Amino acid sequence: MSPRQQSVDAQTVDEQTSRVILRAAGSESVKRRPKDRKAKIAAAAAIAFSERGYPAVGVEDIASSVGISGSALYRHFPNKYAMFRHAALELTDALESALDAVSVAADATDRERLREDLLAVIRTTVRNRRTAGIYRWESRFLDAADRKSVRAQAAAVNHRVALHLSRSEPPASARAETILTSAMFSVIGSITAHNLILPQRRMEQVLLDACLSIEHGGSAITSRRSEQTVSTRPVTTNKRERLLQEAVRLFDSRGYHDVSIEEIAAAAGLNASGMYRYFPSKAELLGAVFYRAADRLDLATAAVFESATSPEEALRALSAMYVELSFAQHELMSVYFSEMNNLLPGHRSDLKNRQKLYVVEWARILREIRPDLSAIEAKFLVHAALNLVPDIGRLMKFDVAAENASTLQTFMSAVLFGRPAPAP
């Protein structure tokens, strides 16, 4: 064989060897792809949807947070909605699994079973704290069939906990039991609305005590089925005021992203250019809506402090005021809670600081009544009490009947003033 032929043969062998090595490397690369990548994508998507809202999150945002390309993400989920649906169903699945795993003695009392069920729900919510907020406001983006599935699962979890409620005479209606267990779940879910930190076991105990305090006050619940209250808005000739009113109505019914400036202007009897005379953008209009809610709350709070003669009287009056104000302008309050992520950064920062100061003021009064609480524990309870109003208010259709307000105020007082849970 000639030297040249030997050289060609050697080159061919080297090329073949290189191809084998590259194929092996590619095979190894595939083998090294994380087996839990779909779970990581799902977790990143759930956090993004919960913290930023469904419309504001793109597929590329989720892919980037996981460190993959959009095309790699599509191998696991066909579209953004599929990830959202997965996130929405995941927590109810986790809650059902947690309740399935509860183990108590055969002769355990209903009270003991209720404690264990609540602890299972609390621990599951704590583990999913960054994503569980998706259920409060973002579930409206589910299609009808998926929303029905989520509600059915949530109702099943609710019913399982309700089985161990204290029996009353006469027996509570199914609706009353639903409201009671929903109130306890609202207290637990309140931790998704803030990022305060407590040691795990102390957080569990604070939430458990608050839930059992609500259960103890369950006899206050009315069995009356609320009807949808017809919203009556004062007729105004002020164009700026009409724009704010119609924006609130449309944002509440369809969400900020699905409402155009033209629609808001038309609803207020103006054209789009007419709206720009009052608000330079839709985002500025949303900011004005938020400041409207915050200012009304500040004024009502100041009036309570002027008339209260003791810390306990002040806290009870604040609770009554918050319920009354929230029910009277429930569309505005709903927008306030659900559209915070769509504010301009400066407005969002300012309004969140105002929220924090509001909670701090309630917590300060609460600690005068309950000095055993730490500052952080008091804030946890204030958040839990405030969270009850939009959550249970929606169940009550924001019906302004006196018995509904009384039930909510009883729940808030139970959470704030407390009743120590008995030892296991």
Side-chain angles (χ1 to χ4, degrees):
M1 183 181 294
S2 68
R4 182 176 179 181
Q5 183 63 45
Q6 289 177 340
S7 175
V8 171
D9 289 347
Q11 183 178 354
T12 301
V13 170
D14 287 343
E15 289 175 352
Q16 291 173 342
T17 302
S18 296
R19 285 196 293 270
V20 170
I21 292 171
L22 287 172
R23 283 198 299 270
S27 175
E28 183 66 20
S29 174
V30 171
K31 288 180 181 177
R32 288 181 179 176
R33 182 181 298 153
K35 292 182 179 179
D36 62 346
R37 177 167 285 174
K38 182 173 183 178
K40 288 182 178 179
I41 293 171
I47 290 171
F49 293 142
S50 183
E51 295 180 348
R52 294 163 51 199
Y54 178 70
V57 177
V59 170
E60 292 299 331
D61 299 326
I62 298 167
S64 176
S65 68
V66 183
I68 61 174
S69 66
S71 58
L73 183 149
Y74 286 124
R75 296 189 190 112
H76 302 281
F77 292 99
N79 51 44
K80 185 174 83 165
Y81 182 80
M83 288 184 280
F84 184 67
R85 179 182 183 279
H86 185 280
L89 292 168
E90 193 170 34
L91 183 59
T92 47
D93 287 342
L95 288 172
E96 288 186 321
S97 296
L99 289 172
D100 286 340
V102 170
S103 178
V104 294
D107 60 349
T109 65
D110 276 342
R111 186 71 171 183
E112 290 166 339
R113 293 175 187 275
L114 179 63
R115 273 184 74 95
E116 294 306 312
D117 283 351
L118 288 172
L119 280 172
V121 173
I122 289 169
R123 289 165 181 162
T124 303
T125 305
V126 171
R127 284 196 301 272
N128 294 275
R129 186 176 183 181
R130 291 187 66 188
T131 61
I134 198 173
Y135 292 91
R136 298 196 63 209
W137 306 109
E138 296 303 308
S139 62
R140 60 186 164 167
F141 295 109
L142 290 169
D143 65 31
D146 289 334
R147 193 181 310 120
K148 184 177 180 180
S149 294
V150 168
R151 288 177 177 172
Q153 283 184 294
V157 170
N158 188 303
H159 177 68
R160 289 178 65 169
V161 174
L163 290 175
H164 307 305
L165 295 173
S166 299
R167 300 298 108 186
S168 60
E169 291 295 338
S173 68
R175 178 171 177 76
E177 288 189 347
T178 296
I179 290 175
L180 181 57
T181 50
S182 296
M184 291 190 284
F185 287 173
S186 175
V187 164
I188 297 168
S190 68
I191 64 172
T192 67
H194 62 82
N195 55 10
L196 297 170
I197 301 297
L198 276 175
Q200 172 83 15
R201 296 193 66 174
R202 186 57 192 152
M203 187 190 303
E204 290 175 6
Q205 193 63 52
V206 167
L207 294 173
L208 178 62
D209 284 349
C211 288
L212 293 177
S213 295
I214 283 180
E215 197 266 348
H216 181 67
S219 59
I221 301 177
T222 174
S223 60
R224 179 182 186 272
R225 179 176 291 275
S226 301
E227 302 297 334
Q228 178 66 54
T229 303
V230 177
S231 177
T232 56
R233 300 179 185 85
V235 177
T236 177
T237 58
N238 184 294
K239 294 179 181 178
R240 185 179 189 277
E241 184 67 22
R242 288 209 310 271
L243 285 167
L244 286 170
Q245 288 180 355
E246 294 303 329
V248 167
R249 181 181 64 81
L250 290 168
F251 291 157
D252 178 56
S253 64
R254 290 167 47 200
Y256 174 80
H257 283 279
D258 288 340
V259 176
S260 69
I261 286 176
E262 289 76 13
E263 288 175 298
I264 298 170
L270 301 171
N271 55 34
S273 61
M275 197 194 93
Y276 286 123
R277 295 173 191 165
Y278 301 95
F279 303 101
S281 66
K282 189 170 75 166
E284 290 287 354
L285 173 57
L286 181 65
V289 167
F290 272 63
Y291 280 107
R292 159 76 51 94
D295 290 343
R296 286 180 177 176
L297 187 58
D298 286 347
L299 286 172
T301 300
V304 168
F305 282 129
E306 285 180 6
S307 60
T309 59
S310 70
E312 182 167 342
E313 181 184 342
L315 206 52
R316 291 189 185 279
L318 284 171
S319 298
M321 173 274 295
Y322 194 79
V323 171
E324 180 180 1
L325 193 63
S326 298
F327 272 51
Q329 51 182 29
H330 61 86
E331 290 176 330
L332 176 57
M333 297 300 280
S334 174
V335 171
Y336 189 86
F337 286 114
S338 61
E339 302 293 354
M340 178 69 75
N341 290 327
N342 293 312
L343 286 170
L344 294 171
H347 290 166
R348 183 165 60 247
S349 177
D350 180 38
L351 286 157
K352 283 190 174 181
N353 284 335
R354 288 178 68 167
Q355 283 181 342
K356 289 177 182 178
L357 290 173
Y358 188 68
V359 170
V360 165
E361 190 63 16
W362 278 52
R364 179 188 64 77
I365 301 169
L366 179 57
R367 292 190 72 204
E368 291 183 36
I369 302 166
R370 297 182 61 185
D372 57 302
L373 295 172
S374 69
I376 298 296
E377 290 168 352
K379 290 177 186 177
F380 261 81
L381 292 179
V382 170
H383 275 290
L386 296 176
N387 205 56
L388 285 163
V389 180
D391 283 354
I392 306 307
R394 282 186 295 176
L395 268 182
M396 295 174 169
K397 308 293 186 185
F398 291 102
D399 182 350
V400 295
E403 54 264 45
N404 287 338
S406 176
T407 294
L408 259 175
Q409 289 166 32
T410 298
F411 287 163
M412 293 179 77
S413 293
V415 169
L416 294 169
F417 300 119
R419 175 178 177 272

